[in-house]
């Protein structure tokens, strides 16, 4: 275990920041600045494109990509973030798997609250299927709020009568807008990123008055996961959202879904973004890449974008 690396990263993310509620503009600028410090691996190429009716970034290996696609949903509490802020994560998945990744620029709250992000994710998945991509060659992946979208977009796809993707990979997924997990309290102060007040601030922007007690907002406690594809849920012990993943794993298991709950000790929310600076991040991404490689099955036809 890389104790010194974890200590240094914890100190970095705890650097003093202005207190009190921040405007949406300030939140987005701060998140961009923080994620710009993450290491993006060499050996990838990127191109701006569209998927469904939204912009997206196509991330591919520098060489010839393998047949198969990762549909990626970035994190940011449904309020901040973009495909660019998730580039350390998508780039590392591409390098490790050889698959191409479409990172979607879904609509954000408060301008576009629930269910806009889910609608955009479903539109992106539908566009891949319409292009000729086999569902067995598509996996959903995402971090934080985007990890939540891997599940809720899957729910929306099932409700729409679409086939399930091959697999789901979720990094530190936000899966309970009711915020009732025990870790919300037991990890308060230990989590270097979040406070309950901060999550309520951004959560209210996404909810826009909706009751969080519904499957599309709190799938870890309310969703029926029958028929879901295999899931890999990764989280760290130093995060308030830890129990979102542990409860989702229990719910998946009870629904007869293949699920791997992968918990790393002493690391923060979306620790995988620190690949290249934290050994545990690289190891977790290696495990995620192995999981994706085991479940994505190549498609006989595929059209580029």
């Amino acid at each position: 275990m890389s104790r010194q690396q974890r200590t240094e990263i914890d100190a970095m993310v705890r650097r003093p920041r202005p207190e009190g509620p921040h405007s949406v503009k300030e939140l987005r600028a701060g998140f961009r600045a923080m994620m710009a410090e993450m290491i993006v691996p060499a050996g990838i190429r990127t191109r701006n494109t569209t998927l469904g009716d939204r912009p997206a970034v196509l991330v591919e290996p520098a060489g010839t990509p393998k047949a198969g696609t990762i549909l990626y949903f970035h994190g940011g509490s449904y309020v901040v973030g973009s495909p660019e802020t998730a580039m350390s994560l998508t780039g590392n998945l591409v390098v490790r798997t050889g698959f191409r990744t479409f990172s979607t620029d879904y609509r954000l709250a408060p301008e576009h609250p629930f269910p806009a992000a889910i609608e955009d994710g479903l539109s992106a998945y539908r566009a891949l299927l319409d292009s000729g991509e086999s569902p067995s060659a598509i996996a959903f992946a995402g971090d934080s709020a985007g990890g939540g979208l891997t599940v809720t977009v899957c729910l929306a796809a099932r409700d729409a009568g679409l086939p399930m993707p091959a697999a789901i990979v979720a990094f530190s997924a936000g899966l309970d807008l009711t915020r009732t997990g025990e870790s919300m309290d037991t990890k308060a102060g230990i989590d270097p990123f979040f406070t309950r007040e901060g999550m309520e601030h951004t959560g209210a922007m996404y909810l826009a008055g909706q009751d969080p007690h519904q499957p599309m907002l709190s799938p870890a406690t309310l969703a029926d996961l029958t028929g879901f594809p295999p899931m890999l849920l990764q989280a760290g012990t130093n995060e308030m959202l830890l129990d979102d993943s542990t409860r989702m794993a229990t719910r998946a298991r009870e629904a007869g879904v293949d699920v791997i709950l992968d918990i790393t000790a002493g690391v923060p929310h979306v620790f995988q973004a620190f690949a290249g600076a934290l050994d545990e991040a690289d190891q977790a991404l290696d495990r995620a890449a192995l999981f994706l490689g085991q479940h994505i099955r190549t498609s006989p036809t595929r059209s580029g974008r």
Side-chain angles (χ1 to χ4, degrees):
M1 301 290 280
S2 52
R3 186 176 301 277
Q4 181 176 348
Q5 292 175 337
R6 283 180 287 157
T7 299
E8 291 172 352
I9 286 172
D10 189 76
M12 182 187 80
V13 298
R14 290 184 189 274
R15 286 179 302 196
R17 289 172 289 200
E19 295 184 1
H22 302 293
S23 69
V24 172
K25 182 177 180 180
E26 291 169 335
L27 288 170
R28 290 172 179 168
F31 190 71
R32 281 196 304 271
M34 179 180 70
M35 298 309 292
E37 298 183 29
M38 306 303 162
I39 300 170
V40 176
I44 62 171
R45 62 178 186 267
T46 65
R47 177 165 59 88
N48 293 329
T49 184
T50 59
L51 193 61
D53 53 4
R54 291 295 302 168
V57 174
L58 174 60
V59 186
E60 295 181 293
T64 303
K66 296 179 183 177
T69 299
I70 301 168
L71 180 57
Y72 197 88
F73 305 108
H74 69 79
S77 303
Y78 302 105
V79 172
V80 305
S82 68
E84 287 72 25
T85 62
M87 194 60 69
S88 65
L89 292 161
T90 53
N92 271 291
L93 287 176
V94 165
V95 167
R96 285 170 162 80
T97 64
F99 298 125
R100 66 175 185 170
T101 293
F102 281 101
S103 187
T104 64
D105 193 7
Y106 58 86
R107 289 171 293 169
L108 299 176
E111 298 91 338
H112 304 282
F114 170 81
I118 298 171
E119 292 171 347
D120 291 347
L122 180 61
S123 176
Y125 182 48
R126 194 186 297 274
L128 287 176
L129 296 175
D130 290 346
S131 75
E133 190 85 348
S134 168
S136 66
I138 302 170
F140 291 175
D143 65 281
S144 194
L149 287 173
T150 66
V151 174
T152 54
V153 171
C154 211
L155 288 171
R158 190 186 62 188
D159 290 348
L162 298 178
M164 291 290 91
I168 287 173
V169 171
F171 303 138
S172 298
L175 296 162
D176 177 24
L177 266 292
T178 68
R179 307 300 190 201
T180 54
E182 290 185 6
S183 57
M184 285 291 298
D185 296 316
T186 60
K187 301 300 180 179
I190 297 171
D191 189 320
F193 287 114
F194 291 132
T195 63
R196 183 179 285 275
E197 293 74 21
M199 280 194 269
E200 288 176 351
H201 179 54
T202 54
M205 296 183 199
Y206 182 57
L207 288 172
Q210 290 276 345
D211 182 356
H213 295 85
Q214 50 183 301
M216 288 294 189
L217 289 166
S218 300
T221 59
L222 296 169
D224 174 10
L225 303 181
T226 301
F228 257 50
M231 306 173 70
L232 172 63
L233 305 172
Q234 292 187 343
T237 61
N238 285 10
E239 56 177 309
M240 293 175 69
L241 294 182
L242 172 60
D243 283 349
D244 286 33
S245 292
T246 60
R247 289 177 298 159
M248 176 57 69
T250 298
R251 198 163 191 85
R253 184 179 70 246
E254 291 174 348
V257 176
D258 291 342
V259 59
I260 297 173
L261 178 63
D262 182 359
I263 306 298
T264 298
V267 294
H269 186 67
V270 194
F271 67 96
Q272 299 88 345
F274 294 96
L278 178 65
D279 292 344
E280 287 86 350
D282 287 284
Q283 293 160 4
L285 285 164
D286 285 343
R287 295 192 297 273
L290 175 63
F291 180 84
L292 290 166
Q294 289 173 331
H295 292 286
I296 289 178
R297 297 291 176 258
T298 57
S299 173
T301 60
R302 185 178 75 192
S303 62
R305 291 179 181 272

